[in-house]
Amino acid sequence: METRKVLSALSYFSIMFAGFIFPLIVFFATGDPEVKRHAKSAFLSHLIPLVPVPFIIFAAVTQFTVNGQDIPVFFMAAVAITIILSLIVLIWNIIKGVKVLIEE
């Protein structure tokens, strides 16, 4: 198996063990443009689950301090969306990593 395929696939699979750090290291350490492209794609996809974090913080502040509701609907919805988004990104990265490994 080629080193560039392994590095590209590991960039996608690193969502399970190294987060966004491994693709970032691969992006700056390699000179192969294909590996750089996959590392950049993996890095950006690893950052997607961080997008709803400001909404969770905003929901927590407004519903637990300002509104004082019994059931924090907005907070629970924001957490649910974050979990669903994280699962989608995890599955997408696994699929992309497998595709990189089996392509010729």
Side-chain angles (χ1 to χ4, degrees), residues 49-61 74 78 82:
L50 298 177
V51 170
V53 170
F55 296 110
I56 292 175
I57 294 170
F58 176 74
V61 168
F74 186 50
T82 304

Side-chain angles (χ1 to χ4, degrees), residues 11-12 19-21 23-24 27 38-48 93:
S11 293
Y12 290 111
F20 61 88
I21 294 173
L24 196 61
F27 181 78
H38 285 294
K40 180 181 172 185
S41 176
F43 174 73
L44 293 175
S45 71
H46 290 21
L47 293 180
I48 290 173
N93 276 295

Side-chain angles (χ1 to χ4, degrees), residues 74-101:
F74 186 50
F75 178 74
M76 291 171 50
V79 170
I81 289 170
T82 304
I83 290 170
I84 291 169
L85 189 63
S86 297
L87 287 174
I88 290 170
V89 169
L90 174 70
I91 292 168
W92 184 82
N93 276 295
I94 291 171
I95 290 170
K96 288 293 284 187
V98 170
K99 280 185 179 181
V100 167
L101 286 175

